[in-house]
Amino acid sequence: MNYKDYIRWERMPTTWCPGCAIGTIFKQLTFALADKGLRQEELVLVSGIGCSGRAAGYFNVDSVHATHGRPIAVAEGIKRANDRLKVIVFSGDGDLVGIGGNHLLHASRRDVDLTVICVNNGIYGMTGGQMAPTTPVGLKTLTSPFGNSYQPLNIQGIITANKRHWFARTSTYHLPGLQKALRGALDWKGFAFIEVMAFCIENSGRRIGFRNGYEMLLKLKQDYKIPLNPEAPLKENELGVMKNDGQTS
Amino acid sequence: MKTLIMGNEAVACGALRAGMTFFAAYPITPASEIMHVLAEKENEIAFVHAEDEIASIHMAIGASLAGRKAMTSTSGPGMSLKQEGIGLAQMMEVPLVIVDVQRVGPSTGMPTLPSQGDIIQAAHGSHGDYTAIVLYPSSVEDCYRYTIEAFNAAEESRSPVILLLDGFLAHLSETVDLENLPVSLKARTLLPLGQGRRHFTGLLARDGIPRTKDSEYYREWYARVKNKVLQAAQNYRFYDYLKNDQAETLIIAYGITHRVVLPLRHEYSLFKPVTMFPILDKEIRAAADAHKKIVVVEMNDGQYRGEVQKLLRQEVLSIPVLGGSISLNEIRQRLHEL
């Protein structure tokens, strides 16, 4: 398979703004799918609402664009109805851990066999740039004009609280790590969650002094490190994988 | 073989007979027995006790897309939460059955007492315009029969069909012989996921491509979908009309209320709609034409009365039975006072 086979070319160009981070993740996923040789007939892409939520419609496979926060629930129904399908959820942080947080909590607890890719740009981009549950402390947004005063949600903590888990944090700057995470998640039997650190230039970055997407990309390079010891639990600024097959204590 | 079962159990048995192989729900009084029966069938069907009402309907949507006949069940408070999924299933044209066992609302209200307060919600609960098929049986045997018809209607109309019960009917036990009941089943109408390149979306879309600023296409799409549901609904016009030639008054009652007013058939004509929506226009008009007065007796403040009044364009009287208790004597007295 060629990565181009997974893209619905007649839908190009995408709705995403110039400088957006989502396209990178989208394309990296098509590379990973091609690498695994997954046929279109055994794949289903599900996404929710938001910029990342538009991704489902750009894949050249059967896909579902669900309501806000519900892609994991729809994906769980699909997977339980037909176990032969590889079901991938591609959506944003507001969708998956904000409004859809309850489904994330419980689908991960039930260890449903899904690959969940969360584009974490720390903002509600499509609606103009409001504070998300993942927005860093102090960040000015439309709904936190004096700076966000809440701690961002610790997604890694939620996922790895389950005894059996697979969690990766990666970023759109660290492409080899992103590709490795996607392949690892596709191979994992059970609930696999990838938090891809991303950014939104148009509805967040410009308000806080960034001039273009490239500057935001370099900020990811600065902010996130790959730890020397891959076995240690990830700190909040570290990229890598945390997994437990449920047998190891 | 005759068995003694309650309305909720008959719904579960009917769903299995209809070929349902996916069920997701969240516990709620007075609907939980449907879950209890189906939980024991975990080897035959996919059963999920979901984290909430919203998850359960969205799982059912996913399962239906993936090729299974799917159902979820709830009561009023859960029905309010499921409205999001009902809208999605309408937009994506997904066959699905939603059971709403009504209790007294609003909000948590009177959880163990029956009501018929979700009539309007069943037809118009989700935002935007859509056409819903809503069925409401009134005996345990009919719970079984119309659960199967709900699945058939869902397949034929490619839409979410709502089966209403009330807490009274759901917990009413009657002797029934379900195995020997003749039923006909509709096959699946939706090709399952895994065909290669279809896109299902809650956005207005043409052939999987969003058309979110195309007003003209919206009108075309809306007319097609409305017509599709109305056409399918033609095959699901269920009612029971007991005409009394001496009577000047026609009583319209449905669900458990019909059972309660049944002894009044010697004084009044009785019309029981089983298909609540789309409203049985021809049948109700014909029955109304033969009577001077039309009264709707229902366990809400005139919800269906409003629908009948809109249909007939004449005054329709209402006897609301509120607060979860119902008595024939009280209804008889209020009929005399009209």
Side-chain angles (χ1 to χ4, degrees):
Chain A
M1 296 289 286
N2 187 293
Y3 80 93
K4 290 178 179 169
D5 298 336
Y6 299 98
I7 299 171
R8 196 181 291 240
W9 290 99
E10 72 267 26
R11 289 291 310 278
M12 299 295 127
T14 67
T15 184
W16 301 319
C17 311
C20 177
I22 303 170
T24 309
I25 306 162
F26 172 82
K27 195 169 177 185
Q28 287 292 326
L29 177 57
T30 64
F31 290 164
L33 294 174
D35 177 73
K36 297 288 162 209
L38 287 158
R39 289 181 303 115
Q40 277 125 318
E41 288 75 18
E42 57 188 339
L43 267 175
V44 176
L45 254 297
V46 187
S47 53
I49 298 297
C51 297
S52 305
R54 287 302 183 95
Y58 300 136
F59 285 99
N60 193 26
V61 303
D62 271 1
S63 57
V64 186
H65 181 207
T67 39
H68 199 15
R70 316 302 168 213
I72 289 179
V74 171
E76 183 169 350
I78 294 169
K79 186 66 191 177
R80 285 177 184 268
N82 184 355
D83 193 40
R84 291 186 304 277
L85 294 171
K86 184 85 193 160
V87 186
I88 302 170
V89 174
F90 188 111
S91 212
D93 49 324
D95 190 70
L96 294 172
V97 310
I99 188 168
N102 203 23
H103 312 309
L104 177 67
L105 204 62
H106 291 278
S108 67
R109 173 178 66 86
R110 288 189 288 263
D111 200 25
V112 190
D113 189 10
L114 300 174
T115 304
V116 182
I117 298 153
C118 174
V119 180
N120 184 355
N121 58 10
I123 199 87
Y124 281 88
M126 184 166 267
T127 45
Q130 296 85 356
M131 174 174 66
T134 41
T135 299
V137 173
L139 196 81
K140 289 183 180 177
T141 73
L142 290 179
T143 50
S144 59
F146 309 108
N148 170 30
S149 49
Y150 311 112
Q151 281 295 324
L153 196 84
N154 176 1
I155 308 175
Q156 173 242 300
I158 289 175
I159 303 296
T160 59
N162 298 296
K163 186 163 187 200
R164 191 175 191 282
H165 60 257
W166 196 101
F167 172 86
R169 188 186 297 117
T170 173
S171 103
T172 51
Y173 177 84
H174 302 80
L175 292 187
L178 172 56
Q179 187 54 225
K180 205 173 138 193
L182 289 166
R183 292 178 188 189
L186 288 170
D187 285 342
W188 184 255
K189 183 87 184 150
F191 194 86
F193 190 97
I194 310 179
E195 179 185 19
V196 191
M197 305 314 297
F199 52 84
C200 170
I201 178 65
E202 287 302 325
N203 281 326
S204 176
R206 287 195 192 286
R207 252 177 233 129
I208 49 176
F210 289 94
R211 283 173 300 179
N212 52 49
Y214 184 64
E215 285 184 7
M216 297 197 86
L217 193 66
L218 292 181
K219 182 81 167 43
L220 286 174
K221 181 193 178 192
Q222 242 174 47
D223 287 353
Y224 290 94
K225 302 293 169 210
I226 295 163
L228 291 173
N229 176 9
E231 301 301 320
L234 294 173
K235 297 192 186 112
E236 59 185 76
N237 67 335
E238 287 181 342
L239 305 179
V241 174
M242 287 174 76
K243 61 182 170 181
N244 189 320
D245 58 9
Q247 310 299 320
T248 328
S249 57
Chain B
M1 196 185 66
K2 287 197 168 184
T3 46
L4 181 71
I5 62 167
M6 63 166 86
N8 276 343
E9 292 169 326
V11 168
C13 296
L16 293 170
R17 181 81 175 268
M20 177 202 72
T21 52
F22 184 95
F23 178 80
Y26 183 82
I28 187 166
T29 302
S32 297
E33 290 84 1
I34 301 172
M35 278 187 92
H36 302 166
V37 173
L38 294 171
E40 294 191 5
K41 306 286 177 189
E42 210 167 13
N43 294 329
E44 299 160 39
I45 65 167
F47 171 90
V48 194
H49 171 158
E51 60 272 22
D52 60 36
E53 303 280 6
I54 303 174
S56 54
I57 189 166
H58 284 85
M59 286 178 191
I61 290 171
S64 181
L65 285 170
R68 301 228 192 177
K69 286 190 180 177
M71 180 170 93
T72 181
S73 65
T74 186
S75 180
M79 194 62 178
S80 299
L81 295 173
K82 289 193 194 298
Q83 295 300 338
E84 176 186 326
I86 291 171
L88 180 65
Q90 283 282 354
M91 199 73 188
M92 298 199 308
E93 301 185 54
V94 178
L96 187 68
V97 174
I98 302 114
V99 185
D100 175 9
V101 183
Q102 301 162 93
R103 67 189 217 189
V104 182
S107 189
T108 316
M110 302 166 88
T112 60
L113 294 189
S115 146
Q116 300 180 316
D118 301 354
I119 304 298
I120 297 300
Q121 183 181 215
H124 302 293
S126 200
H127 59 278
D129 287 303
Y130 61 93
T131 312
I133 297 177
V134 182
L135 305 181
Y136 193 165
S138 62
S139 72
V140 173
E141 188 180 293
D142 280 357
C143 284
Y144 180 83
R145 179 181 287 126
Y146 292 114
T147 302
I148 295 168
E149 293 297 353
F151 274 97
N152 288 345
E155 289 302 333
E156 204 168 334
S157 65
R158 286 269 300 268
S159 76
V161 169
I162 290 152
L163 182 76
L164 289 174
L165 268 68
D166 46 72
F168 202 143
L169 180 61
H171 289 156
L172 178 73
S173 288
E174 292 186 301
T175 311
V176 289
D177 184 5
L178 302 180
E179 286 161 19
N180 294 317
L181 220 97
V183 294
S184 67
L185 303 181
K186 281 263 175 304
R188 293 242 67 193
T189 50
L190 180 67
L191 276 176
L193 289 175
Q195 304 299 316
R197 46 171 299 144
R198 290 168 304 161
H199 182 54
F200 296 90
T201 169
L203 292 170
L204 178 72
R206 173 176 243 160
D207 302 326
I209 297 177
R211 295 286 285 270
T212 55
K213 295 193 195 298
D214 189 341
S215 307
E216 204 166 310
Y217 175 64
Y218 179 89
R219 290 166 195 157
E220 183 189 313
W221 167 85
Y222 181 76
R224 176 184 67 75
V225 172
K226 182 178 179 179
N227 190 43
K228 171 200 74 170
V229 177
L230 289 177
Q231 280 299 318
Q234 287 299 327
N235 301 328
Y236 300 88
R237 300 178 82 92
F238 305 118
Y239 64 97
D240 187 27
Y241 180 28
L242 295 171
K243 188 167 190 309
N244 181 334
D245 290 328
Q246 272 78 53
E248 291 190 343
T249 304
L250 170 72
I251 297 176
I252 297 177
Y254 48 84
I256 197 63
T257 313
H258 173 76
R259 297 292 291 278
V260 173
V261 302
L262 205 52
L264 299 175
R265 65 183 178 277
H266 307 297
E267 301 161 62
Y268 302 92
S269 291
L270 299 182
F271 186 94
K272 174 188 77 173
V274 174
T275 305
M276 303 290 290
F277 296 98
I279 194 163
L280 296 167
D281 47 4
K282 291 195 288 284
E283 294 84 347
I284 291 178
R285 267 197 208 109
D289 280 349
H291 297 86
K292 277 191 183 157
K293 270 191 207 168
I294 296 123
V295 189
V296 181
V297 184
E298 51 190 337
M299 295 182 80
N300 60 53
D301 195 9
Q303 293 190 17
Y304 207 59
R305 188 271 301 256
E307 296 298 309
V308 176
Q309 196 158 265
K310 199 162 75 184
L311 172 75
L312 298 176
R313 296 185 193 173
Q314 72 180 71
E315 199 191 356
V316 173
L317 302 166
S318 171
I319 296 188
V321 182
L322 301 176
S325 68
I326 184 163
S327 114
L328 177 62
N329 282 341
E330 191 194 336
I331 293 169
R332 184 181 278 134
Q333 196 189 332
R334 284 162 73 181
L335 278 163
H336 289 156
E337 286 165 8
L338 283 175

